[in-house]
Amino acid sequence: MTRAAPAAERRASPTSRGRLIVLSGPSGVGKDTVLRELFRLAPRLRYSVSYTTRPPRPGEVNGVDYFFVDEATFQAMVGRGEFLEHALVHGQWKGTSEAQVRASLERGEDIVLKIDVQGAAAIRPRVRDAVYIFLLPPSLEELRHRLEERATETQESLALRWENAQAELAEQDRYDHRVVNDDVGRAARRILEIVEQGRVRGIGRVHP
Ligand code: 5GP
């Protein structure tokens, strides 16, 4: 186990390293739908499966959508420094496994992280030249409408979701690219173009 990482390090030349792609955007903007289309278009892309203390929603699969863990397990992982970043999102802990990300990058795979603005801010100083993409709604009215639909579904207050969405949107200028989700196919293709453009030496490398 302890010898696997150095061996992988030796095999991977800097140019063969994959890139880290960070995707953020307010709740209701359609990140999951756009990502589904992106992975359909580019099956070679990897997805970073986050850990969360949030209970699974109907249809969500452990190890696919998230690794669902209890609070004690999550905090123990925090204590062992196993997260590249972690944050409290809508009252639940979410975190990115550093081992998972490193393993992909060292195999030369590009890996997509769907994380909130706090997570992206925590990663910026730690990862050189990752690609930061912010997904925007076509309009604020459209976002409001989508959030109203969701608030009814989840019983979560619309006011809270709207407040969080505003806070997320306020961070959009910190991202390298902003993509408007006016059409799922178009947004996914634009993200893929950005990913392909970023194919330069050393990008996405995690600092040792
Ligand atoms: P949901 O609970 O609806 O699956 O996710 C809500 C939001 O949590 C996502 O849109 C995403 O921005 C954020 N999120 C998911 N996984 C992570 C993670 O590992 N770290 C951080 N910081 N945010 C995450």
Side-chain angles (χ1 to χ4, degrees):
M1 239 348 238
T2 50
R3 278 157 49 172
E9 284 280 352
R10 276 198 301 277
R11 272 200 310 275
S13 72
T15 45
S16 73
R17 286 188 177 248
R19 279 142 318 136
L20 191 70
I21 299 130
V22 173
L23 181 75
S24 300
S27 168
V29 77
K31 294 188 293 294
D32 291 320
T33 321
V34 169
L35 282 180
R36 256 195 305 280
E37 179 61 11
L38 177 68
F39 290 118
R40 196 187 66 76
L41 294 173
R44 62 174 178 81
L45 288 178
R46 292 287 161 262
Y47 179 65
S48 161
V49 180
S50 294
Y51 285 76
T52 186
T53 56
R54 167 168 82 58
R57 298 187 183 126
E60 283 185 330
V61 177
N62 189 39
V64 174
D65 298 288
Y66 284 99
F67 291 105
F68 297 99
V69 295
D70 60 22
E71 176 88 27
T73 306
F74 193 95
Q75 292 306 337
M77 292 179 73
V78 172
R80 292 194 297 268
E82 291 180 16
F83 291 123
L84 185 57
E85 62 74 34
H86 66 283
L88 201 55
V89 185
H90 304 316
Q92 307 282 355
W93 288 106
K94 305 264 169 76
T96 302
S97 156
E98 181 158 348
Q100 198 188 134
V101 169
R102 273 182 185 275
S104 273
L105 296 180
E106 283 164 7
R107 283 194 296 263
E109 297 165 351
D110 298 339
I111 184 162
V112 180
L113 275 58
K114 180 195 74 174
I115 58 175
D116 81 329
V117 293
Q118 305 172 76
I123 286 183
R124 273 188 200 100
R126 297 199 61 199
V127 183
R128 193 175 64 205
D129 299 332
V131 184
Y132 294 89
I133 305 173
F134 195 92
L135 195 63
L136 285 164
S139 68
L140 281 180
E141 291 71 30
E142 177 62 27
L143 184 66
R144 175 93 187 173
H145 174 67
R146 292 190 202 166
L147 286 177
E148 276 167 4
E149 287 183 343
R150 282 212 182 172
T152 331
E153 269 171 38
T154 63
Q155 302 298 309
E156 196 180 314
S157 105
L158 173 63
L160 179 65
R161 286 205 164 236
W162 186 239
E163 205 177 291
N164 287 337
Q166 302 294 323
E168 291 259 324
L169 286 167
E171 295 283 309
Q172 58 178 280
D173 290 346
R174 301 188 67 193
Y175 287 71
D176 306 321
H177 304 274
R178 281 172 288 167
V179 173
V180 178
N181 184 20
D182 49 359
D183 174 90
V184 171
R186 192 159 40 219
R189 285 193 300 276
R190 179 69 194 121
I191 292 173
L192 193 54
E193 267 171 34
I194 293 168
V195 171
E196 297 298 340
Q197 268 168 25
R199 188 171 288 286
V200 292
R201 174 187 276 261
I203 208 163
R205 189 169 186 178
V206 179
H207 287 174

